[in-house]
Amino acid sequence: MKTAFDELLLTASAPGFEQRMQRLRREHSMSEFLKDRAELADTVRQIVSEVGRRGDAAVAEYTERFDRIRLSPKEFRIPQDALAAAHAQLDATLLETLRKAIANIRRYQSEIFIGNKNTHPGIRYLPLKRVGVCIPGASAPLPSTVMMTAIPAQVAGVRDIVVVSPPRWQGGIHPVILGLCYELGIAEVYRLGGAQAVAALAWGTETIGKVDKIVGPGHDVVQLAKKEVFGLVDMDSFAGPSDVLIVANAQANPAWVAADMLSQAEHDPGAGIVVTDSLKFARAVLAELEQQAPRLDRAEAAARCLKAYSGIVVCETMDAVIAWANDFAAEHLQVQCGSASRAVAEKLINAGAIFIGPFTPVAVGDYWAGPSHTLPTRQTSKYFSAVTSNDFIKSSSIIEYSHTELAAAAEDIIRLATVEGLDAHAKSVKKRLE
């Protein structure tokens, strides 16, 4: 029986399989993204430059142009009493849930933190002093993103955390976000978004202090702006739009896999991709998508993203499935292979986060388990990693030689300096031993 999503199916035996596979990979690759965004990148570069030259005035102009709200520089920052008032209005049950999630994230990030565990005398770890966090201005609040970016920084010992978010909720920021910032002790919150907010954090303006690093997900403009200011500040990775790749075999539950595809597609943009060695299973997933998609609150958006960015790939063997998944380098990688799930997961090497087994949907990582959900996208998990507490420290090498140690190494050091033609380097050693 045909479904509305039959076009998602890509089978190894079908004509044009390899071409369709390549197209699916290209749609999610960083190289294709950058090739197709040259004009947008030029616009972002201009915004960043203007904010660098003109500070608050440029930030205000671009905020009025893109967010359609006129703000004076003194109105950029959300007052402390507004944060406190938002916190006081938080639903008690929601606040309890937020506190449980905060505890989970803080515990995990503390357990993996290396900054206070080093015992080698040749290196010192220190926290960054000031970090900027970008929170998308979605139609609904995203408190999870505040927790998943700010708490790792707090665990690392970052003193000043600055939150920026577009003024998309009644000319400001959603009160759930403001209340959560107050709960976390974050006092510096600006109702600014887009490239102008990133640039303000990177350069510093008359009213906004420069930061050392900018993290957080966002749309193309925000990610390109982070790329543009890299070097003025550090950045995490390209974080957005969202994707999930589900590695599954015939033991997986097709209803659950379809639900997981839809959970990413509803981000709009977002992608849900399945790769399996079972054609029967793949067709069962299609049937489930047909049943589940129309019942979603965001049914139209989810269906559009499935057809535009998603797919169900059927390979001939599980080895081919694993190879395809490793090449794709997903943001979220789910392994739903029944009793073989953990063994398959051991062979998967490229992913922002790996979710093993049928009872570990992406939502567990998005909200609860402790690892950050700010993850590398567009196949950049081959070289970028999830945000962790260890991203908010820097290291300095510590070198201390005695006279005896320098004398023992002097001949070799002088020889290397001489080979490089650096006479003064060699003499800086010789003079200490005369």
Side-chain angles (χ1 to χ4, degrees):
M1 183 180 72
K2 283 202 162 195
T3 78
F5 301 106
D6 279 349
E7 63 196 79
L8 301 183
L9 187 62
L10 296 88
T11 60
S13 60
F17 172 70
E18 189 55 41
Q19 291 81 1
R20 292 182 67 195
M21 292 262 281
Q22 289 176 1
R23 184 180 65 82
L24 183 60
R25 283 192 291 260
R26 285 198 303 269
E27 286 173 351
H28 296 275
S29 74
M30 178 58 71
S31 60
E32 292 300 315
F33 166 76
L34 293 177
K35 287 176 188 175
D36 293 343
R37 297 299 191 279
E39 185 176 337
L40 181 60
D42 288 342
T43 300
V44 168
R45 189 172 296 116
Q46 180 181 354
I47 294 170
V48 169
S49 176
E50 284 293 302
V51 172
R53 289 193 305 108
R54 298 194 293 115
D56 282 343
V59 174
E61 288 174 18
Y62 285 119
T63 298
E64 183 173 6
R65 181 189 303 183
F66 298 122
D67 292 314
R68 297 176 182 172
I69 180 172
R70 180 175 295 181
L71 298 173
S72 67
K74 67 180 180 180
E75 295 175 308
F76 292 166
R77 184 168 176 173
I78 303 293
Q80 183 67 16
D81 59 356
L83 300 180
H87 185 269
Q89 294 300 314
L90 283 176
D91 175 80
T93 305
L94 173 60
L95 182 57
E96 182 181 358
T97 294
L98 290 172
R99 286 173 174 169
K100 289 178 182 177
I102 289 168
N104 289 346
I105 298 164
R106 199 177 298 281
R107 180 173 57 253
Y108 172 85
Q109 298 295 336
S110 297
E111 289 171 351
I112 67 168
F113 185 56
I114 65 172
N116 55 9
K117 297 181 176 71
N118 178 66
T119 58
H120 196 289
I123 194 165
R124 175 190 296 162
Y125 294 104
L126 292 171
L128 304 180
K129 286 188 175 180
R130 188 170 166 82
V131 167
V133 173
C134 298
I135 306 301
S139 55
L142 298 174
S144 58
T145 302
V146 179
M147 295 187 289
M148 295 296 187
T149 49
I151 296 172
Q154 290 181 330
V155 168
V158 175
R159 184 185 64 193
D160 297 327
I161 297 173
V162 184
V163 169
V164 295
S165 189
R168 302 279 173 79
W169 192 85
Q170 299 181 9
I173 300 172
H174 197 285
V176 169
I177 300 297
L178 301 182
L180 176 58
C181 286
Y182 187 86
E183 174 73 19
L184 292 172
I186 299 171
E188 199 170 345
V189 182
Y190 297 92
R191 49 176 171 168
L192 298 170
Q196 64 270 22
V198 172
L201 293 173
W203 292 109
T205 71
E206 299 90 333
T207 62
I208 302 170
K210 174 180 169 59
V211 301
D212 300 315
K213 182 167 187 165
I214 301 172
V215 302
H219 53 59
D220 293 349
V221 168
V222 168
Q223 300 309 312
L224 286 169
K226 285 164 57 181
K227 175 178 177 289
E228 184 65 25
V229 301
F230 179 68
L232 286 172
V233 295
D234 193 13
M235 64 174 277
D236 48 357
S237 67
F238 270 74
S242 188
D243 68 69
V244 64
L245 177 65
I246 305 165
V247 172
N249 64 13
Q251 297 180 51
N253 185 318
W256 297 357
V257 169
D260 292 339
M261 291 180 71
L262 291 165
S263 74
Q264 296 306 306
E266 75 171 344
H267 277 296
D268 190 24
I273 299 167
V274 174
V275 58
T276 180
D277 61 350
S278 171
L279 179 58
K280 181 179 179 181
F281 170 78
R283 286 176 172 156
V285 173
L286 286 174
E288 282 293 335
L289 290 174
E290 180 86 4
Q291 293 295 317
Q292 295 183 35
R295 301 173 185 171
L296 296 175
D297 291 344
R298 302 184 183 189
E300 185 177 340
R304 182 172 62 251
C305 286
L306 283 178
K307 293 178 179 180
Y309 309 118
S310 305
I312 300 175
V313 178
V314 183
C315 299
E316 293 182 348
T317 66
M318 184 51 65
D319 285 343
V321 167
I322 292 168
W324 200 90
N326 283 332
D327 179 65
F328 187 85
E331 176 191 17
H332 307 95
L333 178 56
Q334 290 185 260
V335 185
Q336 299 192 43
C337 294
S339 58
S341 291
R342 183 166 290 278
V344 170
E346 291 294 326
K347 299 177 182 179
L348 297 168
I349 59 173
N350 294 321
I354 301 175
F355 302 78
I356 302 174
F359 299 103
T360 319
V362 168
V364 172
D366 280 349
Y367 300 113
W368 202 252
S372 177
H373 74 200
T374 301
L375 303 168
T377 60
R378 300 187 190 278
Q379 301 181 349
T380 61
S381 63
K382 291 179 180 178
Y383 42 87
F384 282 134
S385 305
V387 166
T388 75
S389 49
N390 297 309
D391 291 310
F392 299 99
I393 54 176
K394 59 187 179 67
S395 64
S396 297
S397 302
I398 308 297
I399 306 165
E400 183 179 8
Y401 267 42
S402 66
H403 181 277
T404 301
E405 290 168 326
L406 179 62
E411 185 177 337
D412 292 313
I413 296 171
I414 290 168
R415 184 176 296 112
L416 289 169
T418 302
V419 166
E420 293 188 354
L422 298 175
D423 177 58
H425 279 62
K427 287 178 177 176
S428 74
V429 175
K430 291 177 181 177
K431 282 193 172 294
R432 286 169 165 79
L433 302 176
E434 289 174 352

